[in-house]
């Protein structure tokens, strides 16, 4: 029988396939952000959203060339529910997956995956980290194409549109969730 893991169970499953501290930290960050966003968009389901965020890159470390192709196999090995598998695979829609995000949570995952990387990189450049960081700082880093060049501005913009948000609004809610 398929399960919906707790965030703690999701992290244990993730660690079976991921060892690099960067990947583990990214999974935790995306999970925490989704959990925070669930408070506003799907109150009572914060743990579910958080678990999805934690599991979203489950196959990336072992199979970077087959990202989101191997994920269903790994998740099914762990009896993970099909709706979580859909969410995980849809987070890379148009990049390495043709599974479109349908639920609002999936669209937010698509949007914040890259954005958390950009905001996290910006925090590393500041002596106070996230403390006191404002959206205008994120916007400035977003406009600097050389800063955190691996974070796709196109995907972030597409994600904001997919969620029905202005880019700065997405930045504001993601930053607030990361600061929480």
């Amino acid at each position: 029988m398929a399960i919906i893991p707790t965030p703690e169970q999701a992290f244990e499953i993730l660690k079976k396939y991921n060892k690099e501290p960067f990947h583990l930290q990214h999974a935790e960050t995306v999970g925490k952000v989704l959990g925070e966003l669930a408070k506003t968009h799907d109150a009572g389901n914060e743990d579910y959203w958080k678990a999805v965020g934690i599991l979203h890159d489950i196959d990336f470390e072992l199979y970077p060339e087959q990202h989101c192709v191997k994920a269903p196999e790994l998740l099914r090995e762990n009896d993970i529910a099909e709706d979580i598998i859909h969410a995980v695979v849809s987070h890379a829609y148009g990049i390495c997956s043709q599974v479109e995000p349908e639920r609002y949570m999936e669209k937010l995952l698509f949007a914040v995956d890259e954005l958390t990387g950009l905001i996290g990189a910006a925090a590393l450049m500041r002596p106070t980290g996230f403390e006191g960081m404002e959206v205008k700082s994120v916007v400035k880093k977003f406009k600097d194409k050389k800063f955190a060049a691996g974070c796709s501005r196109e995907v972030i913009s597409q994600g904001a549109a997919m969620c029905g948000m202005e880019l700065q609004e997405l930045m504001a809610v993601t930053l607030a969730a990361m600061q929480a």
Side-chain angles (χ1 to χ4, degrees):
M1 181 161 176
I3 64 163
I4 295 173
T6 65
E8 296 77 22
Q9 291 168 326
F11 198 68
E12 290 306 311
I13 292 167
L14 177 77
K15 289 193 306 187
K16 289 182 187 180
Y17 309 100
N18 292 268
K19 308 293 181 216
E20 291 183 24
F22 174 81
H23 291 145
L24 297 174
Q25 166 126 32
H26 174 66
E28 272 190 308
T29 300
V30 173
K32 286 178 183 176
V33 167
L34 278 186
E36 284 296 314
L37 294 174
K39 291 176 182 177
T40 313
H41 300 286
D42 195 13
N45 285 314
E46 293 90 346
D47 282 352
Y48 174 79
W49 283 42
K50 191 173 185 179
V52 170
I54 290 168
L55 292 170
H56 83 282
D57 278 345
I58 191 167
D59 62 354
F60 189 78
E61 189 172 313
L62 290 178
Y63 307 103
E65 300 301 318
Q66 293 181 287
H67 183 41
C68 292
V69 173
K70 294 294 272 186
E73 178 185 324
L74 301 179
L75 293 166
R76 286 183 185 115
E77 282 175 12
N78 291 279
D79 298 318
I80 300 300
E82 289 297 319
D83 57 328
I84 293 177
I85 294 170
H86 185 276
V88 165
V89 175
S90 73
H91 92 273
Y93 175 66
I95 303 163
C96 58
S97 167
Q98 294 311 308
V99 177
E100 193 167 351
E102 296 169 359
R103 296 176 290 157
Y104 196 66
M105 179 264 297
E106 295 170 343
K107 294 173 183 180
L108 282 169
L109 174 58
F110 177 89
V112 304
D113 182 25
E114 293 286 313
L115 184 54
T116 57
L118 181 85
I119 294 172
L124 289 173
M125 303 301 294
R126 299 167 42 89
T128 57
F130 292 108
E131 187 180 323
M133 185 186 290
E134 296 179 8
V135 174
K136 66 181 180 182
S137 300
V138 179
V139 171
K140 185 177 177 183
K141 295 298 185 190
F142 181 87
K143 289 179 179 177
D144 179 357
K145 304 294 187 227
K146 293 179 183 170
F147 180 80
C151 297
S152 170
R153 275 64 171 172
E154 185 180 325
V155 168
I156 295 168
S157 297
Q158 185 182 353
M162 196 183 286
C163 292
M165 293 182 178
E166 293 295 323
L167 184 58
Q168 288 191 4
E169 179 187 1
L170 176 65
M171 290 175 176
V173 298
T174 304
L175 176 60
M178 290 178 80
Q179 290 171 325

